[in-house]
Amino acid sequence: MTLTRRSLLLAALSTPLARGALAHDRAALNPTEVRVHPGLAPGDIYVIPEDYHLYHIRRPGMAMRYGVGVGRAGLEFKGGAVIQRKAEWPSWRPTDDMIAREPEKYAKYADGVPGGPENPLGARALYLFRDGRDTYYRIHGTTNPETIGSSVSNGCIRLRNEDVMALYENVAIGTHVTVV
């Protein structure tokens, strides 16, 4: 059998210490260092949407696991990407698709929202690119921490602001992200 990232990730998830939590188990969404398959590359990020967890591989066999909120059905991001931009207190503008889908909610923000505590991207944002192009998906903070552990966003992966701030400090430009 060929050893791939996907097979390593699936093996890691079969490890009891790395297995995810149910959304209603709020304590399981708190940041926790967990054991993972030692073949996962340090620095990489893996997101398991159905478990509402993001794993940042810190060193061989160990990861920091964060609870996340993810995209609702039909809007979720899947596959691989690379972080090519990072921002503190980023500004935000809904995509044209978001405005078209829900104009009553998003049209008023068509000119954008400056960064700050009321901005939907929260305290930090990691911008996901694929083949050198912006996907318009982000790993970011949230002004609604109660949404962690649910599928309610327009596709982005959201963390509590304190968690995205910690992740931001430990992630470099060029980090590989896989959402399974």
Side-chain angles (χ1 to χ4, degrees):
M1 176 172 109
T2 304
L3 200 57
T4 64
R5 275 184 193 224
R6 183 166 176 79
S7 65
L8 286 173
L9 182 59
L10 293 174
L13 292 175
S14 66
T15 303
L17 291 176
R19 191 65 185 140
L22 298 175
H24 66 273
D25 185 355
R26 303 307 294 173
L29 296 170
N30 291 332
T32 306
E33 190 170 47
V34 297
R35 291 171 21 142
V36 295
H37 191 283
L40 297 174
D44 284 359
I45 292 174
Y46 294 91
V47 180
I48 315 300
E50 58 271 3
D51 283 351
Y52 301 106
H53 282 117
L54 177 151
Y55 295 83
H56 180 222
I57 311 303
R58 302 295 280 281
R59 61 186 183 279
M62 296 302 292
M64 183 59 76
R65 182 184 72 193
Y66 298 94
V68 296
V70 296
R72 62 186 184 261
L75 300 176
E76 61 274 268
F77 179 83
K78 293 278 188 192
V82 174
I83 295 170
Q84 286 190 260
R85 181 173 175 238
K86 295 169 49 170
E88 296 183 23
W89 297 106
S91 59
W92 171 77
R93 181 195 179 279
T95 66
D96 291 341
D97 286 345
M98 290 169 66
I99 294 169
R101 207 172 26 250
E102 297 179 79
E104 68 288 347
K105 185 174 183 179
Y106 294 114
K108 61 186 170 190
Y109 302 117
D111 291 331
V113 178
E118 301 305 314
N119 186 297
L121 292 185
R124 306 287 184 273
L126 306 170
Y127 295 72
L128 303 180
F129 283 68
R130 186 179 280 157
D131 299 322
R133 300 178 87 162
D134 191 349
T135 64
Y136 296 99
Y137 289 98
R138 316 284 184 243
I139 297 172
H140 64 81
T142 182
T143 54
N144 299 307
E146 68 280 0
T147 64
I148 302 305
S150 63
S151 303
V152 297
S153 80
N154 278 285
C156 289
I157 299 152
R158 56 174 68 183
L159 292 86
R160 289 181 285 243
N161 276 331
E162 60 269 23
D163 296 345
V164 79
M165 290 168 75
L167 180 65
Y168 181 95
E169 293 301 320
N170 290 293
V171 170
I173 299 293
T175 294
H176 290 274
V177 177
T178 302
V179 182
V180 297

